[in-house]
Amino acid sequence: MKLDILALAAHPDDVELSCSGTLLKAILNGKKAGIVDFTRGELGTRGTPEIRQQEANKSAEILGLSARENLGFRDGFFKNDEEHQLEVIKMIRKYQPEIVLANAFDDRHSDHGRASQLSKEACFLSGLKNIKTEIDGVEQAAWRPKVVYHYIQSIPTQPDFVVDVSEVWEKKIASIRAFASQFFDPNSNEANTYISSPEFMKMVEARAIHYGHEIGVQYGEGFNVERMTGVGDVFDLL
Ligand SMILES: [Zn+2]
């Protein structure tokens, strides 16, 4: 199945926190979107890989995704090497997205920066036809996404562009809350973590309000790019 936009992420919930509003907006505009999570987040303090898988499925339903997969890489220790690049290339060739969203270049969690590099390199290599991959014995055709945009997660950076997600804000929050084991729940007896406090959710909203304010809307999601972005018509810009 071909997708228009594919988000790659080190952990289940990275996308929800950083760019699920952008996926929702694309879907609202008739595009097909999907997520490929690299790990099951098994090193997370709260919840279990099984619970997080159920939560990821619930969020996929809320978002209206056409596909969501988990590559089962080792949380904390996956590498940006040939073996892992080939697994990501298989996903890019399977879904043939025009746009790929990837983790932040450099972030609080060291997996994010590594996933960012892995995603970027896999997107390039996926376009080389002499790199052979197959799924279920069927050889895949080369495919290179037109662009890779890096979403902003823990460390705030100056975005290169901001997507207006005001219209889908409530749904974005619902997609984050689908990960009930990770975020603030007054009835939870699990250990408190960096992301489980009520203040963390306020930070997520404050960040979106700040980026939204920069472009004159209520809520925004910011992205960084390596290559200059362009538009065909200046009226496509807000
Ligand atoms: Zn993460």
Side-chain angles (χ1 to χ4, degrees):
M1 178 212 300
K2 185 181 155 27
L3 298 177
D4 300 293
I5 182 166
L6 177 65
L8 304 174
H11 311 111
D13 76 16
D14 285 350
V15 168
E16 280 77 1
L17 286 171
S18 311
C19 65
S20 64
T22 299
L23 295 184
L24 280 163
K25 200 73 187 289
I27 292 166
L28 196 64
N29 291 322
K31 300 283 195 281
K32 282 197 159 60
I35 297 176
V36 171
D37 299 307
F38 291 171
T39 75
R40 301 188 186 283
E42 63 268 25
L43 294 184
T45 306
R46 291 159 66 108
T48 64
E50 293 72 29
I51 289 171
R52 290 187 79 171
Q53 184 59 54
Q54 290 165 11
E55 293 171 344
N57 294 344
K58 188 175 170 196
S59 168
E61 221 167 278
I62 292 168
L63 295 172
L65 299 180
S66 300
R68 183 170 205 161
E69 298 207 33
N70 193 300
L71 294 178
F73 292 170
R74 273 185 77 203
D75 192 6
F77 297 101
F78 68 85
K79 291 194 163 63
N80 175 15
D81 60 9
E82 180 179 346
E83 180 194 339
H84 292 80
Q85 286 165 5
L86 286 171
E87 291 306 311
V88 180
I89 289 170
K90 281 188 200 173
M91 292 295 110
I92 295 164
R93 290 176 172 178
K94 178 176 177 182
Y95 292 114
Q96 305 185 336
E98 323 299 326
I99 297 176
V100 164
L101 306 180
N103 281 106
F105 297 130
D106 187 23
D107 214 2
R108 174 178 175 273
H109 198 311
S110 57
D111 279 358
H112 294 173
R114 211 166 341 100
S116 171
Q117 276 300 316
L118 170 56
S119 302
K120 183 189 111 176
E121 289 175 33
C123 284
F124 177 79
L125 295 171
S126 176
L128 302 178
K129 73 174 172 52
N130 286 334
I131 295 176
K132 305 291 183 196
T133 56
E134 57 176 53
I135 290 185
D136 299 329
V138 180
E139 193 173 314
Q140 295 183 293
W143 180 271
R144 185 173 292 146
K146 289 197 179 80
V147 290
V148 180
Y149 299 137
H150 297 263
Y151 47 83
I152 298 167
Q153 191 165 339
S154 302
I155 298 177
T157 60
Q158 178 68 26
D160 295 307
F161 68 90
V162 173
V163 176
D164 175 9
V165 297
S166 312
E167 204 177 345
V168 294
W169 181 254
E170 293 304 323
K171 256 195 179 180
K172 176 196 163 84
I173 291 297
S175 78
I176 297 174
R177 293 218 177 273
F179 289 85
S181 71
Q182 301 302 302
F183 302 106
F184 181 65
D185 172 2
N187 301 315
S188 174
N189 297 319
E190 293 211 59
N192 290 327
T193 67
Y194 165 72
I195 60 172
S196 73
S197 69
E199 289 74 27
F200 181 80
M201 290 303 289
K202 283 189 192 166
M203 183 283 290
V204 169
E205 182 168 13
R207 180 82 59 81
I209 291 171
H210 171 70
Y211 287 148
H213 179 75
E214 294 287 302
I215 61 163
V217 303
Q218 199 175 3
Y219 294 108
E221 287 177 339
F223 293 85
N224 288 119
V225 297
E226 270 187 322
R227 286 183 62 190
M228 184 65 71
T229 54
V231 287
D233 186 315
V234 72
F235 285 94
D236 288 343
L237 293 167
L238 285 176

